[in-house]
Amino acid sequence: MITEQQFEGSFVALGTFDGLHIGHKAVITAEKSQYERKIALMFRKHLSHEHKDTPCTLITPQYEREILFSWGVEPVYVDFDEICDMSPQEFVDKVLVDKFNAKSIACGFNYRFGKGACGDVQTLMALCLEREIKLTVVDKIEYNDEPVSSTRIREAVSRGDMKSVRAMLGRCFSYDFEVLHGDERGRVLGSPTINQFFTSDFQVPEFGVYASFTDVDGKIYPSVTNVGIRPTIGNSEKRSETNIIGFNGDLYGQYPRVFLVEKIRGEMNFGSLDELKNRIFADKETALTILKGENFCEF
């Protein structure tokens, strides 16, 4: 059930904030005035969660919260099932007014709400006007002459185009899954790695080797990351293996955050472990060259 206490007044950002890209940021940070509470209304389940084509996520839950708080808003999570059958008027009155005492609202130019997505921005404008609620409608944010969207970002991630991903997210694509034990093959090859396994609902990047940064307890290290199934070794699990350059500690059971900066090459099947070892060291040098020209920016 949706239950909240009353506030003197609040700002509520509305949208399907699945990925927190630059378009989402424009909506979430639209209100410059100080209210007792600033909220980003988030769904625990995506709009199409019942369908087979449910989109993969672009961000892990912990990082999502960190980014929202850094933008000055508090995430409030609501199950989509709780509001999906509400009419536009019911949503405004029962959720925005009764629950949050909203005095200011922001949404994107293409925002839809209410049962069957029957309400649009014009509907919301009329409802807000009747209730003396300030409404800010944010225009589309474009990249390469097309609106930024989570769909475009997923497509760019799937083809390893981290330059486009970074431009649309406003930060590097990243993940912070738990470090688990692998077969320690990297240690044998002279380049110890951390193994992180992708969850089934997360958008996996195109297989290959990436120049990356890794955040270990707030310290940023240059790194090189292999995403794939390691065909030379003979494995089928999708994983991320990262060699953190200049770090030698034990990270098992921890959640370091890996930021993919640029793809170096595709996944390859080598004829021998010696060939693989030589290429690993070459990839490390390439990654260091790329990262020297990069200014790390988390958000």
Side-chain angles (χ1 to χ4, degrees):
M1 284 293 292
I2 303 175
T3 55
E4 281 281 343
Q5 59 184 14
Q6 273 290 346
F7 299 93
E8 290 299 320
S10 63
F11 163 72
V12 182
L14 298 174
T16 306
F17 302 124
D18 55 338
L20 299 185
H21 55 61
I22 57 175
H24 296 150
K25 184 176 183 179
V27 172
I28 290 169
T29 61
E31 179 56 64
K32 305 303 179 185
S33 302
Q34 292 299 314
Y35 284 90
E36 183 181 359
R37 196 177 188 192
K38 290 188 175 183
I39 294 165
L41 194 61
M42 310 289 292
F43 296 121
R44 289 194 183 92
K45 298 177 181 178
H46 192 276
L47 298 181
S48 57
H49 71 278
E50 295 294 343
H51 302 288
K52 294 180 180 179
D53 61 347
T54 300
C56 292
T57 59
L58 292 164
I59 190 171
T60 58
Q62 176 61 29
Y63 199 35
E64 178 179 85
R65 292 180 63 83
E66 289 179 28
I67 291 177
L68 289 169
F69 280 116
S70 79
W71 290 350
V73 295
E74 171 192 355
V76 173
Y77 293 89
V78 175
D79 284 329
F80 182 67
D81 292 343
E82 292 187 57
I83 64 172
C84 64
D85 289 328
M86 290 183 180
S87 69
Q89 181 174 331
E90 285 177 317
F91 174 72
V92 170
D93 288 336
K94 293 182 179 180
V95 178
L96 300 182
V97 175
D98 294 346
K99 179 178 169 62
F100 298 119
N101 193 19
K103 299 298 184 183
S104 178
I105 296 168
C107 68
F109 69 100
N110 57 352
Y111 179 66
R112 308 286 306 195
F113 69 113
K115 186 174 183 179
C118 62
D120 59 11
V121 169
Q122 296 300 320
T123 308
L124 187 58
M125 282 182 178
L127 292 169
C128 286
L129 183 63
E130 292 173 359
R131 291 154 182 78
E132 298 185 339
I133 299 172
K134 176 185 175 184
L135 174 63
T136 301
V137 179
V138 177
D139 200 2
K140 60 184 176 182
I141 306 295
E142 294 188 339
Y143 171 69
N144 283 350
D145 300 322
E146 293 183 29
V148 170
S149 69
S150 297
T151 298
R152 286 187 68 196
I153 295 171
R154 290 186 189 96
E155 291 171 351
V157 171
S158 70
R159 62 176 184 269
D161 181 4
M162 292 304 154
K163 178 182 177 181
S164 295
V165 171
R166 187 173 184 176
M168 290 188 283
L169 280 180
R171 63 185 185 277
C172 293
F173 180 75
S174 67
Y175 42 85
D176 51 9
F177 300 116
E178 182 181 6
V179 175
L180 301 175
H181 286 276
D183 54 19
E184 299 189 354
R185 184 76 65 173
R187 192 173 302 278
V188 173
L189 294 171
S191 295
T193 60
I194 58 169
N195 286 271
Q196 295 170 294
F197 294 85
F198 296 103
T199 56
S200 60
D201 63 344
F202 193 78
Q203 181 65 57
V204 178
E206 183 178 41
F207 289 178
V209 176
Y210 295 80
S212 60
F213 286 111
T214 301
D215 182 339
V216 181
D217 295 328
K219 185 173 181 180
I220 306 301
Y221 293 87
S223 53
V224 58
T225 299
N226 181 79
V227 175
I229 58 174
R230 306 188 306 165
T232 303
I233 305 300
N235 206 299
S236 60
E237 286 184 286
K238 297 176 183 178
R239 71 175 73 189
S240 165
E241 286 186 298
T242 300
N243 174 234
I244 307 173
I245 301 169
F247 179 81
N248 296 308
D250 183 351
L251 293 176
Y252 291 122
Q254 298 186 46
Y255 296 80
R257 187 167 291 135
V258 176
F259 298 84
L260 302 185
V261 176
E262 183 177 321
K263 187 178 178 184
I264 296 173
R265 62 171 174 84
E267 188 170 51
M268 299 170 64
N269 192 354
F270 295 94
S272 68
L273 291 180
D274 283 338
E275 286 183 32
L276 173 58
K277 181 177 180 179
N278 291 335
R279 189 55 190 258
I280 287 173
F281 281 99
D283 291 338
K284 186 184 297 187
E285 292 302 313
T286 301
L288 286 172
T289 299
I290 292 171
L291 298 174
K292 282 181 181 178
E294 294 288 344
N295 293 318
F296 177 76
C297 180
E298 188 169 358
F299 301 123

